[in-house]
């Protein structure tokens, strides 16, 4: 059985565009400045994106931080497929992508990046995967959208925007690198 995304499983109706391309860019600039400020610069800092849309988020933030602090910031990719607690519902043969951290995380300040924070289960899986690669000095979470509804005690240190949603609503982040579009949408499952 192939993996399905919410937009493939349900009929969805767009309720609102929450962010345009320019709003996403401004938010990322703000987040980059917050990351530099809270970490006292970019020394011993690395960004790790959770595959899929966390990766372009991490890459963009790394470029912005480099512009701010004038030093390159290591950036990597984390695949959490085998760490998910819902692996049995994903399908019989999940496709595992290559994890390319690109930097030794031991004793680093890691900024774990994802597009949307929801229940916290993806982040929990990402932490398990990350610690299999070493022991960071500190791990901070950066998300573009925090939509609430946490099931685990997980909180982001850096949040682009808080959006309160209902159980029927879904946040769709579209990045040029993955989707060929640049926007954040609020959609709702239709009956």
């Amino acid at each position: 059985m192939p993996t399905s995304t919410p937009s493939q499983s349900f009929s969805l109706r767009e309720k609102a565009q929450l962010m345009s391309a320019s709003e996403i860019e401004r938010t990322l600039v703000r987040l980059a400045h917050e990351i530099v400020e809270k970490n006292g610069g970019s020394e011993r800092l690395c960004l790790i994106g959770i595959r899929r849309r966390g990766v372009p988020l991490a890459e963009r933030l790394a470029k912005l931080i480099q512009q701010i602090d004038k030093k390159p910031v290591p950036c990597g990719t984390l695949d959490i497929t085998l760490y998910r607690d819902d692996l049995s519902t994903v399908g019989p043969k999940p496709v595992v992508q290559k994890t390319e951290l690109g930097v030794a995380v031991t004793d680093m300040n890691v900024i774990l990046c994802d597009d949307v924070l929801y229940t916290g289960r993806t982040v929990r899986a990402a932490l398990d995967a990350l610690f299999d690669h070493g022991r960071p000095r500190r791990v901070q979470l950066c998300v573009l959208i925090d939509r609430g509804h946490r099931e685990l005690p997980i909180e982001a240190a850096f949040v682009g925007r808080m959006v309160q949603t209902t159980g029927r609503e879904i946040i769709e982040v579209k990045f040029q690198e993955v989707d060929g579009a640049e926007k954040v949408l609020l959609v709702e499952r239709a009956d």
Side-chain angles (χ1 to χ4, degrees):
M1 178 187 314
T3 303
S4 61
T5 62
S7 59
Q8 293 169 329
S9 302
F10 315 105
S11 174
L12 298 175
R13 130 184 121 75
E14 184 177 323
K15 288 183 76 174
Q17 179 172 306
L18 301 176
M19 297 176 86
S20 66
S22 61
E23 289 170 314
I24 291 171
E25 180 61 25
R26 281 194 306 275
T27 300
L28 295 183
V29 169
R30 176 180 54 81
L31 288 171
H33 281 278
E34 288 177 13
I35 290 167
V36 169
E37 183 177 337
K38 189 168 185 176
N39 287 280
S42 61
E43 191 72 28
R44 305 205 60 73
L45 188 70
C46 69
L47 282 81
I48 305 292
I50 300 172
R51 190 172 296 277
R52 290 206 42 192
R53 289 172 186 83
V55 174
L57 179 64
E59 290 169 347
R60 290 182 189 187
L61 287 169
K63 286 178 187 170
L64 290 166
I65 291 169
Q66 181 174 345
Q67 291 172 3
I68 295 165
D69 215 35
K70 309 297 185 237
K71 296 177 198 157
V73 179
C75 190
T77 298
L78 192 61
D79 184 342
I80 63 162
T81 304
L82 294 179
Y83 294 86
R84 294 175 59 99
D85 63 3
D86 63 350
L87 190 57
S88 62
T89 64
V90 172
K93 292 184 181 176
V95 177
V96 180
Q97 304 291 327
K98 186 177 179 187
T99 292
E100 300 168 356
L101 291 184
V103 65
V105 295
T106 299
D107 205 32
M108 295 290 282
N109 293 319
V110 174
I111 308 297
L112 194 59
C113 300
D114 203 8
D115 59 342
V116 178
L117 177 57
Y118 181 38
T119 62
R121 292 182 182 274
T122 296
V123 175
R124 187 220 40 94
L127 289 169
D128 288 348
L130 181 65
F131 277 84
D132 276 354
H133 292 277
R135 188 176 186 277
R137 175 185 295 173
R138 176 165 67 167
V139 178
Q140 298 167 83
L141 178 61
C142 178
V143 297
L144 185 60
I145 304 288
D146 181 343
R147 64 171 285 199
H149 302 281
R150 219 73 78 238
E151 294 175 3
L152 298 174
I154 301 227
E155 181 180 342
F158 307 102
V159 177
R161 185 176 290 181
M162 299 280 297
V163 178
Q164 291 302 314
T165 60
T166 67
R168 298 174 52 86
E169 294 172 328
I170 297 168
I171 302 288
E172 285 190 354
V173 174
K174 306 246 184 228
F175 284 139
Q176 198 66 45
E177 298 91 330
V178 177
D179 308 290
E182 190 80 12
K183 58 188 169 182
V184 178
L185 300 174
L186 176 65
V187 298
E188 186 173 49
R189 294 180 194 158
D191 291 331

PDB file of all heavy atoms in Angstrom, residues 64-101:
ATOM      1  N   LEU A  64      20.932  32.290   5.286  1.00  0.00           N
ATOM      2  CA  LEU A  64      20.650  33.577   5.931  1.00  0.00           C
ATOM      3  C   LEU A  64      21.571  33.807   7.131  1.00  0.00           C
ATOM      4  O   LEU A  64      22.082  34.917   7.325  1.00  0.00           O
ATOM      5  CB  LEU A  64      19.179  33.648   6.359  1.00  0.00           C
ATOM      6  CG  LEU A  64      18.166  33.762   5.226  1.00  0.00           C
ATOM      7  CD1 LEU A  64      16.754  33.481   5.723  1.00  0.00           C
ATOM      8  CD2 LEU A  64      18.244  35.136   4.583  1.00  0.00           C
ATOM      9  N   ILE A  65      21.798  32.769   7.926  1.00  0.00           N
ATOM     10  CA  ILE A  65      22.682  32.892   9.088  1.00  0.00           C
ATOM     11  C   ILE A  65      24.106  33.184   8.627  1.00  0.00           C
ATOM     12  O   ILE A  65      24.813  33.991   9.237  1.00  0.00           O
ATOM     13  CB  ILE A  65      22.598  31.625   9.969  1.00  0.00           C
ATOM     14  CG1 ILE A  65      21.219  31.550  10.637  1.00  0.00           C
ATOM     15  CG2 ILE A  65      23.723  31.604  11.017  1.00  0.00           C
ATOM     16  CD1 ILE A  65      20.916  30.231  11.308  1.00  0.00           C
ATOM     17  N   GLN A  66      24.522  32.565   7.545  1.00  0.00           N
ATOM     18  CA  GLN A  66      25.859  32.830   7.006  1.00  0.00           C
ATOM     19  C   GLN A  66      25.976  34.299   6.579  1.00  0.00           C
ATOM     20  O   GLN A  66      27.009  34.930   6.797  1.00  0.00           O
ATOM     21  CB  GLN A  66      26.165  31.909   5.828  1.00  0.00           C
ATOM     22  CG  GLN A  66      27.552  32.131   5.252  1.00  0.00           C
ATOM     23  CD  GLN A  66      27.912  31.128   4.181  1.00  0.00           C
ATOM     24  OE1 GLN A  66      27.269  30.095   4.034  1.00  0.00           O
ATOM     25  NE2 GLN A  66      28.961  31.423   3.431  1.00  0.00           N
ATOM     26  N   GLN A  67      24.928  34.853   5.995  1.00  0.00           N
ATOM     27  CA  GLN A  67      24.943  36.270   5.607  1.00  0.00           C
ATOM     28  C   GLN A  67      25.034  37.167   6.842  1.00  0.00           C
ATOM     29  O   GLN A  67      25.711  38.193   6.826  1.00  0.00           O
ATOM     30  CB  GLN A  67      23.692  36.621   4.806  1.00  0.00           C
ATOM     31  CG  GLN A  67      23.644  35.999   3.433  1.00  0.00           C
ATOM     32  CD  GLN A  67      22.300  36.208   2.745  1.00  0.00           C
ATOM     33  OE1 GLN A  67      21.411  36.869   3.276  1.00  0.00           O
ATOM     34  NE2 GLN A  67      22.143  35.628   1.568  1.00  0.00           N
ATOM     35  N   ILE A  68      24.368  36.775   7.921  1.00  0.00           N
ATOM     36  CA  ILE A  68      24.357  37.581   9.147  1.00  0.00           C
ATOM     37  C   ILE A  68      25.708  37.504   9.859  1.00  0.00           C
ATOM     38  O   ILE A  68      26.273  38.523  10.249  1.00  0.00           O
ATOM     39  CB  ILE A  68      23.240  37.092  10.105  1.00  0.00           C
ATOM     40  CG1 ILE A  68      21.862  37.329   9.485  1.00  0.00           C
ATOM     41  CG2 ILE A  68      23.353  37.767  11.475  1.00  0.00           C
ATOM     42  CD1 ILE A  68      20.736  36.580  10.166  1.00  0.00           C
ATOM     43  N   ASP A  69      26.224  36.295  10.033  1.00  0.00           N
ATOM     44  CA  ASP A  69      27.408  36.076  10.873  1.00  0.00           C
ATOM     45  C   ASP A  69      28.702  35.908  10.072  1.00  0.00           C
ATOM     46  O   ASP A  69      29.762  35.735  10.657  1.00  0.00           O
ATOM     47  CB  ASP A  69      27.173  34.850  11.773  1.00  0.00           C
ATOM     48  CG  ASP A  69      27.819  35.003  13.129  1.00  0.00           C
ATOM     49  OD1 ASP A  69      27.846  36.134  13.647  1.00  0.00           O
ATOM     50  OD2 ASP A  69      28.300  33.986  13.672  1.00  0.00           O
ATOM     51  N   LYS A  70      28.592  35.926   8.753  1.00  0.00           N
ATOM     52  CA  LYS A  70      29.768  35.853   7.858  1.00  0.00           C
ATOM     53  C   LYS A  70      30.595  34.589   8.027  1.00  0.00           C
ATOM     54  O   LYS A  70      31.794  34.588   7.796  1.00  0.00           O
ATOM     55  CB  LYS A  70      30.677  37.086   8.044  1.00  0.00           C
ATOM     56  CG  LYS A  70      29.977  38.418   7.958  1.00  0.00           C
ATOM     57  CD  LYS A  70      29.370  38.647   6.595  1.00  0.00           C
ATOM     58  CE  LYS A  70      28.773  40.041   6.497  1.00  0.00           C
ATOM     59  NZ  LYS A  70      27.384  40.073   6.151  1.00  0.00           N
ATOM     60  N   LYS A  71      29.957  33.488   8.455  1.00  0.00           N
ATOM     61  CA  LYS A  71      30.627  32.185   8.575  1.00  0.00           C
ATOM     62  C   LYS A  71      29.691  31.118   8.019  1.00  0.00           C
ATOM     63  O   LYS A  71      28.481  31.181   8.245  1.00  0.00           O
ATOM     64  CB  LYS A  71      30.905  31.851  10.044  1.00  0.00           C
ATOM     65  CG  LYS A  71      31.862  32.783  10.728  1.00  0.00           C
ATOM     66  CD  LYS A  71      32.003  32.383  12.190  1.00  0.00           C
ATOM     67  CE  LYS A  71      32.581  33.532  12.974  1.00  0.00           C
ATOM     68  NZ  LYS A  71      32.287  33.484  14.373  1.00  0.00           N
ATOM     69  N   PRO A  72      30.255  30.127   7.323  1.00  0.00           N
ATOM     70  CA  PRO A  72      29.391  29.043   6.827  1.00  0.00           C
ATOM     71  C   PRO A  72      28.800  28.243   7.988  1.00  0.00           C
ATOM     72  O   PRO A  72      29.441  28.068   9.012  1.00  0.00           O
ATOM     73  CB  PRO A  72      30.331  28.184   5.982  1.00  0.00           C
ATOM     74  CG  PRO A  72      31.704  28.571   6.382  1.00  0.00           C
ATOM     75  CD  PRO A  72      31.647  29.948   6.967  1.00  0.00           C
ATOM     76  N   VAL A  73      27.560  27.814   7.800  1.00  0.00           N
ATOM     77  CA  VAL A  73      26.858  27.032   8.813  1.00  0.00           C
ATOM     78  C   VAL A  73      26.552  25.660   8.222  1.00  0.00           C
ATOM     79  O   VAL A  73      25.856  25.567   7.207  1.00  0.00           O
ATOM     80  CB  VAL A  73      25.546  27.724   9.242  1.00  0.00           C
ATOM     81  CG1 VAL A  73      24.812  26.898  10.279  1.00  0.00           C
ATOM     82  CG2 VAL A  73      25.823  29.122   9.772  1.00  0.00           C
ATOM     83  N   PRO A  74      27.075  24.585   8.832  1.00  0.00           N
ATOM     84  CA  PRO A  74      26.790  23.242   8.316  1.00  0.00           C
ATOM     85  C   PRO A  74      25.292  22.955   8.335  1.00  0.00           C
ATOM     86  O   PRO A  74      24.569  23.376   9.235  1.00  0.00           O
ATOM     87  CB  PRO A  74      27.531  22.313   9.280  1.00  0.00           C
ATOM     88  CG  PRO A  74      28.485  23.178  10.025  1.00  0.00           C
ATOM     89  CD  PRO A  74      27.927  24.555  10.019  1.00  0.00           C
ATOM     90  N   CYS A  75      24.855  22.227   7.322  1.00  0.00           N
ATOM     91  CA  CYS A  75      23.435  21.925   7.167  1.00  0.00           C
ATOM     92  C   CYS A  75      23.298  20.477   6.721  1.00  0.00           C
ATOM     93  O   CYS A  75      24.036  20.029   5.845  1.00  0.00           O
ATOM     94  CB  CYS A  75      22.843  22.876   6.129  1.00  0.00           C
ATOM     95  SG  CYS A  75      21.063  22.821   6.029  1.00  0.00           S
ATOM     96  N   GLY A  76      22.367  19.739   7.298  1.00  0.00           N
ATOM     97  CA  GLY A  76      22.192  18.344   6.939  1.00  0.00           C
ATOM     98  C   GLY A  76      20.735  17.945   6.830  1.00  0.00           C
ATOM     99  O   GLY A  76      19.830  18.742   7.065  1.00  0.00           O
ATOM    100  N   THR A  77      20.537  16.688   6.471  1.00  0.00           N
ATOM    101  CA  THR A  77      19.208  16.122   6.235  1.00  0.00           C
ATOM    102  C   THR A  77      19.010  14.908   7.131  1.00  0.00           C
ATOM    103  O   THR A  77      19.907  14.081   7.274  1.00  0.00           O
ATOM    104  CB  THR A  77      19.086  15.673   4.768  1.00  0.00           C
ATOM    105  OG1 THR A  77      19.242  16.826   3.940  1.00  0.00           O
ATOM    106  CG2 THR A  77      17.745  15.036   4.483  1.00  0.00           C
ATOM    107  N   LEU A  78      17.823  14.793   7.692  1.00  0.00           N
ATOM    108  CA  LEU A  78      17.502  13.680   8.575  1.00  0.00           C
ATOM    109  C   LEU A  78      16.248  12.981   8.064  1.00  0.00           C
ATOM    110  O   LEU A  78      15.216  13.614   7.875  1.00  0.00           O
ATOM    111  CB  LEU A  78      17.273  14.217   9.992  1.00  0.00           C
ATOM    112  CG  LEU A  78      17.192  13.234  11.139  1.00  0.00           C
ATOM    113  CD1 LEU A  78      18.493  12.447  11.269  1.00  0.00           C
ATOM    114  CD2 LEU A  78      16.905  13.968  12.430  1.00  0.00           C
ATOM    115  N   ASP A  79      16.359  11.676   7.818  1.00  0.00           N
ATOM    116  CA  ASP A  79      15.200  10.872   7.428  1.00  0.00           C
ATOM    117  C   ASP A  79      14.738  10.107   8.662  1.00  0.00           C
ATOM    118  O   ASP A  79      15.505   9.361   9.256  1.00  0.00           O
ATOM    119  CB  ASP A  79      15.580   9.894   6.314  1.00  0.00           C
ATOM    120  CG  ASP A  79      14.382   9.109   5.800  1.00  0.00           C
ATOM    121  OD1 ASP A  79      13.342   9.056   6.489  1.00  0.00           O
ATOM    122  OD2 ASP A  79      14.479   8.535   4.711  1.00  0.00           O
ATOM    123  N   ILE A  80      13.480  10.291   9.044  1.00  0.00           N
ATOM    124  CA  ILE A  80      12.971   9.677  10.276  1.00  0.00           C
ATOM    125  C   ILE A  80      12.067   8.480  10.019  1.00  0.00           C
ATOM    126  O   ILE A  80      11.459   7.961  10.948  1.00  0.00           O
ATOM    127  CB  ILE A  80      12.220  10.715  11.124  1.00  0.00           C
ATOM    128  CG1 ILE A  80      10.990  11.239  10.378  1.00  0.00           C
ATOM    129  CG2 ILE A  80      13.143  11.847  11.536  1.00  0.00           C
ATOM    130  CD1 ILE A  80       9.986  11.905  11.269  1.00  0.00           C
ATOM    131  N   THR A  81      11.990   8.024   8.792  1.00  0.00           N
ATOM    132  CA  THR A  81      11.029   6.975   8.422  1.00  0.00           C
ATOM    133  C   THR A  81      11.034   5.800   9.391  1.00  0.00           C
ATOM    134  O   THR A  81       9.986   5.393   9.887  1.00  0.00           O
ATOM    135  CB  THR A  81      11.300   6.470   6.990  1.00  0.00           C
ATOM    136  OG1 THR A  81      11.260   7.577   6.101  1.00  0.00           O
ATOM    137  CG2 THR A  81      10.269   5.448   6.567  1.00  0.00           C
ATOM    138  N   LEU A  82      12.195   5.239   9.679  1.00  0.00           N
ATOM    139  CA  LEU A  82      12.249   4.047  10.536  1.00  0.00           C
ATOM    140  C   LEU A  82      12.099   4.358  12.018  1.00  0.00           C
ATOM    141  O   LEU A  82      12.049   3.438  12.839  1.00  0.00           O
ATOM    142  CB  LEU A  82      13.548   3.285  10.285  1.00  0.00           C
ATOM    143  CG  LEU A  82      13.662   2.674   8.886  1.00  0.00           C
ATOM    144  CD1 LEU A  82      14.992   1.962   8.718  1.00  0.00           C
ATOM    145  CD2 LEU A  82      12.505   1.719   8.621  1.00  0.00           C
ATOM    146  N   TYR A  83      12.006   5.614  12.379  1.00  0.00           N
ATOM    147  CA  TYR A  83      11.863   6.009  13.781  1.00  0.00           C
ATOM    148  C   TYR A  83      10.434   6.382  14.137  1.00  0.00           C
ATOM    149  O   TYR A  83      10.135   6.666  15.292  1.00  0.00           O
ATOM    150  CB  TYR A  83      12.795   7.185  14.085  1.00  0.00           C
ATOM    151  CG  TYR A  83      14.247   6.823  13.979  1.00  0.00           C
ATOM    152  CD1 TYR A  83      14.905   6.877  12.764  1.00  0.00           C
ATOM    153  CD2 TYR A  83      14.958   6.415  15.102  1.00  0.00           C
ATOM    154  CE1 TYR A  83      16.238   6.537  12.660  1.00  0.00           C
ATOM    155  CE2 TYR A  83      16.296   6.075  15.012  1.00  0.00           C
ATOM    156  CZ  TYR A  83      16.928   6.138  13.789  1.00  0.00           C
ATOM    157  OH  TYR A  83      18.256   5.796  13.687  1.00  0.00           O
ATOM    158  N   ARG A  84       9.553   6.393  13.146  1.00  0.00           N
ATOM    159  CA  ARG A  84       8.170   6.814  13.381  1.00  0.00           C
ATOM    160  C   ARG A  84       7.427   5.794  14.233  1.00  0.00           C
ATOM    161  O   ARG A  84       7.612   4.599  14.086  1.00  0.00           O
ATOM    162  CB  ARG A  84       7.448   7.001  12.050  1.00  0.00           C
ATOM    163  CG  ARG A  84       8.016   8.144  11.217  1.00  0.00           C
ATOM    164  CD  ARG A  84       7.346   8.203   9.867  1.00  0.00           C
ATOM    165  NE  ARG A  84       5.918   8.399  10.012  1.00  0.00           N
ATOM    166  CZ  ARG A  84       5.306   9.566   9.890  1.00  0.00           C
ATOM    167  NH1 ARG A  84       5.993  10.640   9.603  1.00  0.00           N
ATOM    168  NH2 ARG A  84       4.012   9.664  10.051  1.00  0.00           N
ATOM    169  N   ASP A  85       6.528   6.283  15.101  1.00  0.00           N
ATOM    170  CA  ASP A  85       5.742   5.368  15.923  1.00  0.00           C
ATOM    171  C   ASP A  85       4.499   4.877  15.188  1.00  0.00           C
ATOM    172  O   ASP A  85       3.775   4.028  15.690  1.00  0.00           O
ATOM    173  CB  ASP A  85       5.381   5.989  17.274  1.00  0.00           C
ATOM    174  CG  ASP A  85       4.507   7.228  17.167  1.00  0.00           C
ATOM    175  OD1 ASP A  85       4.116   7.608  16.043  1.00  0.00           O
ATOM    176  OD2 ASP A  85       4.222   7.833  18.210  1.00  0.00           O
ATOM    177  N   ASP A  86       4.256   5.381  13.977  1.00  0.00           N
ATOM    178  CA  ASP A  86       3.126   4.922  13.164  1.00  0.00           C
ATOM    179  C   ASP A  86       3.606   4.147  11.940  1.00  0.00           C
ATOM    180  O   ASP A  86       2.914   4.067  10.946  1.00  0.00           O
ATOM    181  CB  ASP A  86       2.252   6.100  12.734  1.00  0.00           C
ATOM    182  CG  ASP A  86       2.975   7.092  11.835  1.00  0.00           C
ATOM    183  OD1 ASP A  86       4.222   6.977  11.680  1.00  0.00           O
ATOM    184  OD2 ASP A  86       2.306   7.983  11.296  1.00  0.00           O
ATOM    185  N   LEU A  87       4.796   3.549  12.039  1.00  0.00           N
ATOM    186  CA  LEU A  87       5.399   2.871  10.898  1.00  0.00           C
ATOM    187  C   LEU A  87       4.490   1.781  10.334  1.00  0.00           C
ATOM    188  O   LEU A  87       4.410   1.604   9.123  1.00  0.00           O
ATOM    189  CB  LEU A  87       6.752   2.263  11.298  1.00  0.00           C
ATOM    190  CG  LEU A  87       7.625   1.727  10.175  1.00  0.00           C
ATOM    191  CD1 LEU A  87       7.918   2.812   9.157  1.00  0.00           C
ATOM    192  CD2 LEU A  87       8.913   1.163  10.729  1.00  0.00           C
ATOM    193  N   SER A  88       3.750   1.104  11.186  1.00  0.00           N
ATOM    194  CA  SER A  88       2.876   0.024  10.704  1.00  0.00           C
ATOM    195  C   SER A  88       1.734   0.560   9.850  1.00  0.00           C
ATOM    196  O   SER A  88       1.173  -0.163   9.038  1.00  0.00           O
ATOM    197  CB  SER A  88       2.308  -0.776  11.878  1.00  0.00           C
ATOM    198  OG  SER A  88       1.517   0.061  12.694  1.00  0.00           O
ATOM    199  N   THR A  89       1.383   1.832   9.997  1.00  0.00           N
ATOM    200  CA  THR A  89       0.296   2.395   9.195  1.00  0.00           C
ATOM    201  C   THR A  89       0.805   3.053   7.923  1.00  0.00           C
ATOM    202  O   THR A  89       0.022   3.409   7.056  1.00  0.00           O
ATOM    203  CB  THR A  89      -0.503   3.446  10.004  1.00  0.00           C
ATOM    204  OG1 THR A  89       0.364   4.541  10.311  1.00  0.00           O
ATOM    205  CG2 THR A  89      -1.059   2.846  11.277  1.00  0.00           C
ATOM    206  N   VAL A  90       2.133   3.213   7.795  1.00  0.00           N
ATOM    207  CA  VAL A  90       2.707   3.848   6.604  1.00  0.00           C
ATOM    208  C   VAL A  90       2.642   2.913   5.414  1.00  0.00           C
ATOM    209  O   VAL A  90       2.436   3.337   4.299  1.00  0.00           O
ATOM    210  CB  VAL A  90       4.169   4.291   6.884  1.00  0.00           C
ATOM    211  CG1 VAL A  90       4.848   4.763   5.618  1.00  0.00           C
ATOM    212  CG2 VAL A  90       4.184   5.396   7.929  1.00  0.00           C
ATOM    213  N   GLY A  91       2.802   1.622   5.654  1.00  0.00           N
ATOM    214  CA  GLY A  91       2.769   0.640   4.580  1.00  0.00           C
ATOM    215  C   GLY A  91       3.770  -0.461   4.863  1.00  0.00           C
ATOM    216  O   GLY A  91       4.614  -0.338   5.744  1.00  0.00           O
ATOM    217  N   PRO A  92       3.697  -1.559   4.125  1.00  0.00           N
ATOM    218  CA  PRO A  92       4.574  -2.695   4.408  1.00  0.00           C
ATOM    219  C   PRO A  92       6.044  -2.445   4.101  1.00  0.00           C
ATOM    220  O   PRO A  92       6.905  -3.029   4.730  1.00  0.00           O
ATOM    221  CB  PRO A  92       4.015  -3.813   3.527  1.00  0.00           C
ATOM    222  CG  PRO A  92       3.249  -3.111   2.448  1.00  0.00           C
ATOM    223  CD  PRO A  92       2.771  -1.820   3.042  1.00  0.00           C
ATOM    224  N   LYS A  93       6.357  -1.612   3.138  1.00  0.00           N
ATOM    225  CA  LYS A  93       7.751  -1.353   2.764  1.00  0.00           C
ATOM    226  C   LYS A  93       7.997   0.151   2.672  1.00  0.00           C
ATOM    227  O   LYS A  93       7.987   0.723   1.586  1.00  0.00           O
ATOM    228  CB  LYS A  93       8.082  -2.005   1.419  1.00  0.00           C
ATOM    229  CG  LYS A  93       8.082  -3.509   1.487  1.00  0.00           C
ATOM    230  CD  LYS A  93       8.500  -4.077   0.158  1.00  0.00           C
ATOM    231  CE  LYS A  93       8.485  -5.600   0.214  1.00  0.00           C
ATOM    232  NZ  LYS A  93       8.798  -6.182  -1.069  1.00  0.00           N
ATOM    233  N   PRO A  94       8.230   0.807   3.825  1.00  0.00           N
ATOM    234  CA  PRO A  94       8.482   2.242   3.749  1.00  0.00           C
ATOM    235  C   PRO A  94       9.765   2.520   2.982  1.00  0.00           C
ATOM    236  O   PRO A  94      10.715   1.754   3.054  1.00  0.00           O
ATOM    237  CB  PRO A  94       8.612   2.660   5.216  1.00  0.00           C
ATOM    238  CG  PRO A  94       8.927   1.409   5.955  1.00  0.00           C
ATOM    239  CD  PRO A  94       8.326   0.273   5.168  1.00  0.00           C
ATOM    240  N   VAL A  95       9.773   3.611   2.247  1.00  0.00           N
ATOM    241  CA  VAL A  95      10.955   3.999   1.489  1.00  0.00           C
ATOM    242  C   VAL A  95      11.825   4.873   2.379  1.00  0.00           C
ATOM    243  O   VAL A  95      11.407   5.938   2.826  1.00  0.00           O
ATOM    244  CB  VAL A  95      10.562   4.768   0.212  1.00  0.00           C
ATOM    245  CG1 VAL A  95      11.801   5.233  -0.540  1.00  0.00           C
ATOM    246  CG2 VAL A  95       9.682   3.898  -0.673  1.00  0.00           C
ATOM    247  N   VAL A  96      13.032   4.401   2.658  1.00  0.00           N
ATOM    248  CA  VAL A  96      13.951   5.138   3.509  1.00  0.00           C
ATOM    249  C   VAL A  96      14.905   5.920   2.629  1.00  0.00           C
ATOM    250  O   VAL A  96      15.546   5.357   1.749  1.00  0.00           O
ATOM    251  CB  VAL A  96      14.745   4.169   4.425  1.00  0.00           C
ATOM    252  CG1 VAL A  96      15.707   4.942   5.307  1.00  0.00           C
ATOM    253  CG2 VAL A  96      13.791   3.330   5.265  1.00  0.00           C
ATOM    254  N   GLN A  97      14.984   7.212   2.859  1.00  0.00           N
ATOM    255  CA  GLN A  97      15.904   8.069   2.122  1.00  0.00           C
ATOM    256  C   GLN A  97      17.226   8.119   2.884  1.00  0.00           C
ATOM    257  O   GLN A  97      17.281   7.850   4.067  1.00  0.00           O
ATOM    258  CB  GLN A  97      15.334   9.488   1.995  1.00  0.00           C
ATOM    259  CG  GLN A  97      13.969   9.545   1.345  1.00  0.00           C
ATOM    260  CD  GLN A  97      14.023   9.188  -0.124  1.00  0.00           C
ATOM    261  OE1 GLN A  97      14.991   9.465  -0.812  1.00  0.00           O
ATOM    262  NE2 GLN A  97      12.967   8.552  -0.614  1.00  0.00           N
ATOM    263  N   LYS A  98      18.269   8.487   2.209  1.00  0.00           N
ATOM    264  CA  LYS A  98      19.590   8.583   2.814  1.00  0.00           C
ATOM    265  C   LYS A  98      19.636   9.748   3.798  1.00  0.00           C
ATOM    266  O   LYS A  98      19.162  10.834   3.511  1.00  0.00           O
ATOM    267  CB  LYS A  98      20.639   8.790   1.717  1.00  0.00           C
ATOM    268  CG  LYS A  98      22.054   8.766   2.214  1.00  0.00           C
ATOM    269  CD  LYS A  98      23.016   8.905   1.045  1.00  0.00           C
ATOM    270  CE  LYS A  98      24.446   8.903   1.527  1.00  0.00           C
ATOM    271  NZ  LYS A  98      25.383   9.196   0.448  1.00  0.00           N
ATOM    272  N   THR A  99      20.189   9.490   4.975  1.00  0.00           N
ATOM    273  CA  THR A  99      20.385  10.543   5.951  1.00  0.00           C
ATOM    274  C   THR A  99      21.787  11.096   5.768  1.00  0.00           C
ATOM    275  O   THR A  99      22.762  10.369   5.870  1.00  0.00           O
ATOM    276  CB  THR A  99      20.194   9.998   7.387  1.00  0.00           C
ATOM    277  OG1 THR A  99      18.822   9.648   7.557  1.00  0.00           O
ATOM    278  CG2 THR A  99      20.588  11.033   8.425  1.00  0.00           C
ATOM    279  N   GLU A 100      21.876  12.380   5.463  1.00  0.00           N
ATOM    280  CA  GLU A 100      23.159  13.039   5.240  1.00  0.00           C
ATOM    281  C   GLU A 100      23.276  14.200   6.210  1.00  0.00           C
ATOM    282  O   GLU A 100      22.957  15.330   5.884  1.00  0.00           O
ATOM    283  CB  GLU A 100      23.241  13.560   3.804  1.00  0.00           C
ATOM    284  CG  GLU A 100      23.107  12.478   2.769  1.00  0.00           C
ATOM    285  CD  GLU A 100      22.912  13.041   1.379  1.00  0.00           C
ATOM    286  OE1 GLU A 100      22.805  14.263   1.231  1.00  0.00           O
ATOM    287  OE2 GLU A 100      22.859  12.240   0.445  1.00  0.00           O
ATOM    288  N   LEU A 101      23.722  13.894   7.420  1.00  0.00           N
ATOM    289  CA  LEU A 101      23.842  14.970   8.388  1.00  0.00           C
ATOM    290  C   LEU A 101      24.857  16.000   7.923  1.00  0.00           C
ATOM    291  O   LEU A 101      24.688  17.185   8.140  1.00  0.00           O
ATOM    292  CB  LEU A 101      24.216  14.420   9.763  1.00  0.00           C
ATOM    293  CG  LEU A 101      23.122  13.606  10.462  1.00  0.00           C
ATOM    294  CD1 LEU A 101      23.573  13.193  11.838  1.00  0.00           C
ATOM    295  CD2 LEU A 101      21.823  14.375  10.537  1.00  0.00           C
TER     296      LEU A 101
END
